Amino acid sequence: MPDSETITVIAIDGPAGSGKSTVGRRLAEHLGLDYLDTGAMYRGVTFAALRRGIDPADAADVARLAEAVELDVTGGIVLVDGVDATIEIRGPEVTRAVSLVAANPAVRTEMVRRQRAWAAQHGGGVLEGRDIGTVVFPDAALKVYLTASPEVRAQRRAKEVTDLDYATVAADIARRDAADQGREASPLTEAADALVVDTSDLAIDEIVADLVRRLP
Ligand code: DC
């Protein structure tokens, strides 16, 4: 693990629609740090599996794929083996299968290794996901756990994915919450020392300003 005493790592975790990406991007920009969306990495592996005809439930095949696949999720465009998958990784097929891929312990080990290497190369950064403060960087300078009511989270996601109705999005979020929190390998949970922020009724600027004030 890179020495998080000498590089600044900010860990943001929380369920889908809790505001991680918006807050994470703004905070990174404000602090002049790079930003890593680790969910896009799990989505990228899932996209690669579907594209190659690998069954997402085949743990051994997916584990091999996770080691071999080329992922570049920085810079706003998501490249999977050199193919622009920015749109498809957010689509219903990948969203349906990603929980299975993210529950694969070997996939997680490989993604965690890549996330640590990324932070070392980038001199730290803002990383967001489900296990950043608990597993990837337990010594992060600041650990934040964002939450919001299920209704608010579903409303936010429904606005992003214009082709799905609210009920479908809400059901999907509930299913993924249960899978992320109930899995054996690195389940979604707040680190004991994380700052828990309910973003349901807060403006982004308020949250970012508060986090900046709390940085050591
Ligand atoms: O944040 P997202 O919805 O794009 O994440 C996609 C899936 O990946 C989500 O269902 C949980 C999983 N994930 C994870 O298990 N660990 C992470 N660090 C990030 C995402």
Side-chain angles (χ1 to χ4, degrees):
M1 199 188 310
D3 184 357
S4 32
E5 305 258 307
T6 52
I7 60 171
T8 301
V9 170
I10 298 175
I12 304 184
D13 292 301
S18 58
K20 299 187 299 295
S21 302
T22 315
V23 170
R25 282 204 175 87
R26 287 273 195 94
L27 188 61
E29 208 174 296
H30 187 93
L31 298 172
L33 291 169
D34 286 330
Y35 162 81
L36 184 65
D37 170 2
T38 65
M41 297 173 71
Y42 290 94
R43 288 175 180 272
V45 176
T46 309
F47 170 83
L50 297 175
R51 194 159 162 266
R52 294 186 193 192
I54 295 173
D55 179 357
D58 187 329
D61 272 5
V62 177
R64 265 191 296 277
L65 171 68
E67 282 183 19
V69 69
E70 225 176 276
L71 293 175
D72 181 355
V73 307
T74 49
I77 290 173
V78 175
L79 294 176
V80 180
D81 286 329
V83 173
D84 184 346
T86 315
I87 308 280
E88 271 118 317
I89 62 155
R90 310 276 166 211
E93 269 184 282
V94 170
T95 299
R96 218 175 297 128
V98 68
S99 305
L100 208 50
V101 171
N104 183 323
V107 172
R108 302 203 69 84
T109 301
E110 173 61 15
M111 293 303 112
V112 169
R113 187 191 67 72
R114 292 188 190 206
Q115 289 152 19
R116 289 175 179 160
W118 178 91
Q121 274 162 13
H122 290 247
V126 177
L127 290 89
E128 64 113 317
R130 305 291 192 284
D131 60 343
I132 309 301
T134 50
V135 174
V136 188
F137 283 108
D139 298 330
L142 182 65
K143 296 188 206 178
V144 186
Y145 188 90
L146 298 183
T147 66
S149 71
E151 295 74 26
V152 167
R153 295 194 285 117
Q155 271 158 15
R156 287 176 182 160
R157 273 294 148 97
K159 257 192 221 161
E160 284 166 19
V161 286
T162 44
D163 50 338
L164 296 175
D165 61 21
Y166 173 82
T168 308
V169 173
D172 174 64
I173 284 193
R175 180 187 60 76
R176 283 203 298 139
D177 281 356
D180 291 341
Q181 288 161 359
R183 71 176 172 230
E184 200 136 320
S186 312
L188 169 66
T189 177
E190 59 225 56
D193 52 350
L195 171 74
V196 179
V197 182
D198 187 328
T199 66
S200 303
D201 301 313
L202 291 175
I204 299 294
D205 290 347
E206 267 180 273
I207 302 168
V208 173
D210 181 42
L211 296 182
V212 169
R213 274 195 299 272
R214 287 173 192 268
L215 263 175

